[in-house]
Amino acid sequence: MNIRLSYYGWMVTRNLVKVNQLHLGDSPKTDLLLDLYTGLFAPYEDSSLHNFMLDEGLIELSDESASRGEILLRYQRNPFEHLEKIIFEITTCCNFNCDHCYNAQVPRLTELNPKILRDAVDNFICMGIRRFDFVGGEVSLYGDGWLELVEHIRSYSDDIGISLYTNGWWLEQAKFKAAGQLFADTQAYLAELKRRGVSHVVFSLDGPNDLHDVSRHRPGLYQKILRGLAQVKKVGLAPRVSLLIRAEWSNEEVESFLAEPASIIYDFDPHTPTYERALRLSLDPTNAISSFIDVGNGAGDDRIQFPILDTRDHPLYCRNFYRLSPSLTVKANGELATCRLSQAGEGYGNLHQQSLVETLNQFDEAFIYKLHVNRELEIYLPLVDRSLFGSAFTHLCSLRAIITMLARKMHEQSISFEDALAIQRINREVAVLTGHFPLKEKE
Ligand SMILES: C[S@@+](CC[C@H](N)C(=O)[O-])C[C@H]1O[C@@H](n2cnc3c(N)ncnc32)[C@H](O)[C@@H]1O
Ligand code: SF4
């Protein structure tokens, strides 16, 4: 048998090289990492060093028949080489029920085992990850223990970006409880976020002014968030936004939507052209800009729809299922997920059942990894029940998510393509998760 670097081991080694901490002669462990990084493989010895590194998941056994080319290709196709940040969902519970929320129908739960998340952070740091987002649901309200995890991440370095995503429910409140702690006011809350190690506070905006407030069912929230951006800055945290863009908006509408928060976030002179302010915001990766995706509460939105089911013009696969960029999500139920829509990105492994390193090292064995890398979604396309999902979508990702969940459920339940009744049942299960069933009353 031979040994080679595992996916995790390759990431760790690449990071050590990058930060100039991998020097020949430092230790037998680093020597072996360097050997494998440059020489690709080595013969397995039944030694304490090899067995220890196998246990740590840094190296793995490989068949002697594997050629240098095959091993090199495996290293070059590391699923995590473009991974820049980890998203901790922490909770799916939320105090809002926004009109567009893709998470609306997923089961409500909060991660209650901080140890598995701390251990995961230790591994992610070794892989060179320097950005962590806390997203939710509404982490600020229901994410018990999330600030302890923030402290743990911060203990590694001052240079790590740690963002809280929030709907801003706590803005301009007095005497409120957030994740189990009591705060006198907004300033006290922000000061605590800073003290614990948060670096960015990211507010969601679903459109300018009333558009946002209507979608969030909270009159006045848009203006509160604009004032909140300045408050965040005042305590020494970086304010940011997560913006929802609609396909039907004109370029001018999109530009001015971006420019308004940008003026506050980056202190622009009021005469700076709108496009310049919008561009600055869009080029900063600590903001988020997403197109509206018609899943969850947004399912069945028919403002802009294009038929997809009968054409093969659009590739259905998504690279993010096998070459993650820029993020990997740790869901509130412990699943590692690529896609964040409903449960579409789950199925690689669960931190409650196996270690992070094991899951990362076996990532390419997951059914949904192969489904996307082998471009097999089209095979399942005719099975999508149009009476449940309709035959048109606003966003291709909705259809991708539906097919991915349908295929995975069929695979897990060993359902054949001929079993029409079981396929009908699975379509319904998926439609409940994606918000397409039961059908909503039109106003
Ligand atoms: C699920 S929320 C959780 C964080 C927090 N509750 C909030 O709203 O800021 C994270 C981000 O996803 C966005 N989002 C939710 N549903 C979406 C959809 N259907 N399409 C695109 N973005 C969506 C939200 O607007 C928000 O910025
Ligand atoms: S978008 Fe955020 S605030 Fe709105 S319902 Fe979803 S999780 Fe809650």
Side-chain angles (χ1 to χ4, degrees):
M1 284 301 248
N2 284 329
I3 48 167
R4 65 184 179 202
L5 290 170
S6 64
Y7 285 144
Y8 172 68
W10 188 88
M11 288 295 292
V12 171
T13 312
R14 190 186 73 151
N15 180 50
L16 288 170
V17 170
K18 198 168 135 198
V19 297
N20 199 20
Q21 277 183 14
L22 196 64
H23 308 119
L24 204 59
D26 275 359
S27 74
K29 180 175 157 179
T30 51
D31 282 359
L32 183 57
L33 289 178
L34 202 54
D35 255 8
L36 295 175
Y37 196 62
T38 51
L40 306 185
F41 64 93
Y44 168 68
E45 294 156 17
D46 188 8
S47 64
S48 54
L49 176 66
H50 283 197
N51 291 333
F52 169 75
M53 288 175 68
L54 280 167
D55 280 350
E56 282 206 325
L58 287 163
I59 60 173
E60 61 193 14
L61 294 171
S62 98
D63 210 303
E64 271 165 30
S65 63
S67 68
R68 284 185 73 80
E70 280 166 348
I71 296 177
L72 181 63
L73 196 62
R74 189 174 166 81
Y75 286 1
Q76 286 169 340
R77 287 186 175 164
N78 191 303
F80 313 108
E81 74 168 337
H82 301 305
L83 185 63
E84 283 169 16
K85 68 171 178 176
I86 299 303
I87 297 176
F88 283 114
E89 187 176 58
I90 303 283
T91 183
T92 52
C93 300
C94 190
N95 53 341
F96 284 21
N97 186 19
C98 306
D99 285 350
H100 66 291
C101 185
Y102 56 56
N103 254 353
Q105 283 77 20
V106 302
R108 296 294 178 233
L109 48 95
T110 299
E111 176 56 75
L112 295 173
N113 186 347
K115 171 142 181 10
I116 58 169
L117 300 187
R118 284 170 69 98
D119 291 350
V121 162
D122 298 340
N123 294 134
F124 287 134
I125 295 282
C126 289
M127 290 166 69
I129 302 296
R130 290 296 177 270
R131 283 181 60 199
F132 294 87
D133 289 354
F134 287 80
V135 172
E138 188 58 36
V139 175
S140 67
L141 187 56
Y142 298 105
D144 284 345
W146 78 279
L147 279 169
E148 280 75 43
L149 193 59
V150 168
E151 280 181 316
H152 182 62
I153 299 169
R154 182 57 68 218
S155 70
Y156 276 99
S157 159
D158 285 342
D159 293 334
I160 297 173
I162 305 179
S163 299
L164 166 67
Y165 277 61
T166 178
N167 58 32
W169 66 271
W170 42 271
L171 286 167
E172 300 178 17
Q173 298 290 309
K175 290 204 183 108
F176 62 91
K177 238 183 177 180
Q181 244 182 293
L182 195 64
F183 295 95
D185 54 27
T186 300
Q187 287 303 110
Y189 182 53
L190 287 169
E192 179 66 358
L193 295 183
K194 184 168 162 54
R195 190 183 74 77
R196 304 290 281 272
V198 173
S199 56
H200 297 75
V201 178
V202 186
F203 295 103
S204 289
L205 294 174
D206 311 334
N209 269 305
D210 286 355
L211 272 186
H212 173 78
D213 295 350
V214 167
S215 151
R216 300 247 155 191
H217 307 283
R218 293 292 190 285
L221 182 59
Y222 181 87
Q223 290 301 331
K224 259 193 204 172
I225 288 178
L226 290 191
R227 293 192 290 274
L229 292 170
Q231 282 179 296
V232 168
K233 210 187 298 185
K234 215 166 133 198
V235 299
L237 289 165
R240 293 292 184 269
V241 283
S242 171
L243 304 179
L244 182 90
I245 306 290
R246 299 243 173 202
E248 64 267 29
W249 295 349
S250 68
N251 287 350
E252 290 71 29
E253 283 172 321
V254 173
E255 247 176 40
S256 70
F257 176 46
L258 268 66
E260 189 161 32
S263 305
I264 306 167
I265 295 172
Y266 305 107
D267 285 326
F268 275 113
D269 179 285
H271 303 295
T272 311
T274 312
Y275 78 86
E276 217 174 280
R277 288 180 277 151
L279 189 66
R280 173 80 170 86
L281 186 141
S282 68
L283 290 177
D284 181 342
T286 53
N287 294 303
I289 303 179
S290 8
S291 299
F292 163 69
I293 303 171
D294 44 336
V295 164
N297 277 350
D301 183 293
D302 54 7
R303 268 171 272 192
I304 287 203
Q305 292 213 312
F306 56 95
I308 291 169
L309 287 179
D310 291 322
T311 69
R312 302 285 170 95
D313 301 346
H314 309 281
L316 284 173
Y317 75 91
C318 170
R319 277 171 67 90
N320 197 45
F321 280 79
Y322 54 89
R323 200 57 93 85
L324 285 69
S325 175
S327 62
L328 168 70
T329 297
V330 180
K331 295 207 124 180
N333 60 5
E335 285 282 318
L336 291 194
T338 44
C339 174
R340 287 188 37 73
L341 296 178
S342 187
Q343 295 177 344
E346 300 180 11
Y348 298 90
N350 190 306
L351 294 186
H352 292 278
Q353 284 149 18
Q354 63 178 18
S355 75
L356 172 75
V357 172
E358 275 175 280
T359 304
L360 297 181
N361 286 343
Q362 295 161 15
F363 217 70
D364 55 350
E365 290 168 28
F367 171 78
I368 60 166
Y369 178 103
K370 293 181 195 158
L371 179 75
H372 282 262
V373 88
N374 296 332
R375 321 280 193 254
E376 282 169 354
L377 283 93
E378 273 78 5
I379 305 173
Y380 295 85
L381 186 61
L383 306 185
V384 174
D385 184 340
R386 297 172 190 212
S387 67
L388 287 171
F389 296 101
S391 49
F393 296 88
T394 303
H395 202 294
L396 187 58
C397 284
S398 311
L399 180 62
R400 275 196 189 107
I402 289 163
I403 297 180
T404 304
M405 286 194 274
L406 183 77
R408 186 181 147 215
K409 277 177 182 282
M410 282 180 64
H411 170 75
E412 284 173 353
Q413 298 175 33
S414 308
I415 287 166
S416 77
F417 280 66
E418 285 73 45
D419 192 343
L421 266 181
I423 292 171
Q424 201 180 31
R425 172 177 55 76
I426 286 189
N427 264 287
R428 270 201 303 275
E429 282 174 23
V430 173
V432 168
L433 284 169
T434 58
H436 289 87
F437 183 79
L439 290 176
K440 281 172 266 180
E441 293 289 324
K442 294 245 185 257
E443 282 168 19

